[in-house]
Amino acid sequence: MESWKLKLKGTWNELKGKIKQQYADLTDDDLLNEEGKEDELLGRLQQKTGKTKEQVKEWIDKL
């Protein structure tokens, strides 16, 4: 499993807070993370932040 997906599973509540600090316009719906739907979350983050898929993955890994 990719490291960004493992991080989402393990520390999602903490990550969500850090993401909201950097992108205050993201809503709870934007940050909804359901088991097995990590790619949908990635797509929403891409759309809202304007980053590429790889940039979002790297960003999550660094949080």
Side-chain angles (χ1 to χ4, degrees):
M1 183 174 284
E2 295 178 72
S3 62
W4 68 275
K5 284 187 180 181
L6 288 172
K7 198 162 188 177
L8 287 180
K9 286 181 177 233
T11 58
W12 178 239
N13 287 332
E14 181 182 336
L15 282 176
K16 190 165 56 170
K18 289 179 180 181
I19 290 170
K20 278 188 163 186
Q21 285 177 353
Q22 292 183 25
Y23 290 92
D25 59 329
L26 291 172
T27 67
D28 286 336
D29 286 341
D30 293 332
L31 298 173
L32 182 63
N33 183 28
E34 295 180 54
E35 183 82 26
K37 295 190 177 186
E38 292 87 2
D39 288 325
E40 288 180 22
L41 171 63
L42 188 65
R44 287 191 304 273
L45 290 174
Q46 268 185 268
Q47 184 179 31
K48 293 286 187 165
T49 63
K51 296 177 184 267
T52 66
K53 184 181 276 192
E54 286 305 314
Q55 288 173 320
V56 172
K57 288 178 182 180
E58 289 173 15
W59 176 54
I60 291 171
D61 279 338
K62 291 177 184 175
L63 289 176

